[in-house]
Amino acid sequence: MRIVVKVGTTTLAHTTGRLNIRRVEQLCKVLSDLKNAGHEIVLVSSGAIGMGVGKLGLRERPQDMPTKQAAAAVGQCELMYVYDKLFSEYHHTVAQILLTGSDVRDAQRQENFHNTLFRLLELGALPILNENDTVATEEIVIGDNDTLAAIIAVSVRADLLILLSDIDGLYTADPRTDKTARLIPTVSEITPELLALAGGSGSGLGTGGMATKLRAAQTVNASGIDMVIASGADPDILYRIAAGEPAGTRFTGRC
Ligand code: GLU
């Protein structure tokens, strides 16, 4: 299977913005193992801004553009250093691709990164993508990595998109405030009622939320690709998802 995995900032970093070492080590180990088992993996990783915040010792995620871009420049470097180091331990080669909205909207530029991605997969490398936050100003922003991951999943004709998040799936209500909330295991149609269930961003460090995840599901499902939202707290869950076992919420593609 060709699997696109997206990890959010809250999965990779503590609330301080510093790396969650145990989590990231486990994530790289499981992804390496899935690659060894014959799956092709594309990783969409957030965390550049969050980790830059930690490394620069800022108190919170910056609101102004120059500080955000500066934090991303520092954090992206740290992220790739960590990925390179950990994946190398399992003899996997990582490649960094940073994109802006212009790259995914302009047909010519889209073809360029598309060709690079396919070549990297042919070469057995593990592409790691993020938005190019250091140059992405409002006009050319993709905005969030749930959207980027969906675009990439369609672009590489993935079999499956997995969004690892700080929430373990879609619930009937907000589980943080409503004790009666139940996990919805499978969604075969994204109805207006479901969209109404989705709120905004859940954390102080990331930018995505359930609404962007549902839109991502709509995008990939329209191309016949399944999507799973699951908790990133224990990356071992990826084994179960790859094996088609129930975990989190699965949005089924219909093509
Ligand atoms: N590109 C952002 C970062 O690396 C994260 C975007 C997102 O979490 O959706 O910090």
Side-chain angles (χ1 to χ4, degrees):
M1 276 207 296
R2 181 171 290 165
I3 308 172
V4 176
V5 178
K6 180 256 171 178
V7 276
T9 304
T10 47
T11 298
L12 299 169
H14 292 288
T15 47
T16 55
R18 290 283 184 172
L19 190 71
N20 186 329
I21 296 172
R22 182 167 44 176
R23 182 86 53 76
V24 175
E25 283 188 343
Q26 188 62 13
L27 175 73
C28 294
K29 186 171 169 180
V30 174
L31 289 176
S32 296
D33 203 17
L34 288 173
K35 248 176 96 56
N36 288 352
H39 297 295
E40 281 179 331
I41 306 288
V42 175
L43 182 60
V44 175
S45 176
S46 301
I49 299 175
M51 240 174 265
V53 166
K55 217 171 174 196
L56 289 167
L58 307 177
R59 248 185 256 134
E60 56 187 20
R61 190 183 167 94
Q63 297 306 319
D64 67 293
M65 197 50 92
T67 318
K68 235 192 250 183
Q69 294 181 326
V74 171
Q76 181 65 32
C77 201
E78 169 86 351
L79 255 188
M80 285 314 293
Y81 167 73
V82 169
Y83 282 133
D84 192 24
K85 179 168 169 278
L86 294 176
F87 281 114
S88 293
E89 283 179 18
Y90 302 105
H91 311 288
H92 287 295
T93 301
V94 298
Q96 170 184 261
I97 301 183
L98 299 176
L99 300 173
T100 63
S102 316
D103 299 314
V104 299
R105 286 189 278 267
D106 178 277
Q108 180 61 51
R109 293 170 77 144
Q110 192 169 25
E111 199 184 322
N112 289 343
F113 80 76
H114 187 102
N115 291 341
T116 312
L117 261 175
F118 273 101
R119 194 78 189 106
L120 284 167
L121 289 174
E122 278 166 18
L123 290 165
L126 198 164
I128 302 181
L129 292 94
N130 194 0
E131 180 150 17
N132 194 349
D133 297 305
T134 57
V135 297
T137 51
E138 249 159 61
E139 310 78 59
I140 56 160
V141 85
I142 299 169
D144 64 85
N145 277 353
D146 298 327
T147 306
L148 175 62
I151 293 169
I152 296 304
V154 173
S155 171
V156 299
R157 295 191 289 276
D159 299 293
L160 180 63
L161 168 63
I162 303 172
L163 304 183
L164 289 183
S165 174
D166 55 353
I167 188 153
D168 52 2
L170 181 66
Y171 278 79
T172 51
D174 187 344
R176 285 168 297 204
T177 53
D178 187 341
K179 287 217 154 45
T180 66
R182 282 179 307 106
L183 180 78
I184 304 172
T186 317
V187 174
S188 54
E189 194 186 348
I190 298 165
T191 58
E193 291 76 35
L194 276 188
L195 288 170
L197 274 179
S201 171
S203 83
L205 284 171
T207 52
M210 200 44 87
T212 58
K213 290 178 177 50
L214 291 192
R215 279 199 296 275
Q218 277 178 319
T219 304
V220 297
N221 283 178
S223 295
I225 302 167
D226 277 13
M227 185 186 102
V228 174
I229 300 175
S231 165
D234 179 4
D236 276 7
I237 201 168
L238 289 167
Y239 287 122
R240 286 170 38 214
I241 300 170
E245 292 168 19
T249 301
R250 183 177 282 258
F251 298 79
T252 52
R254 278 169 295 166
C255 290

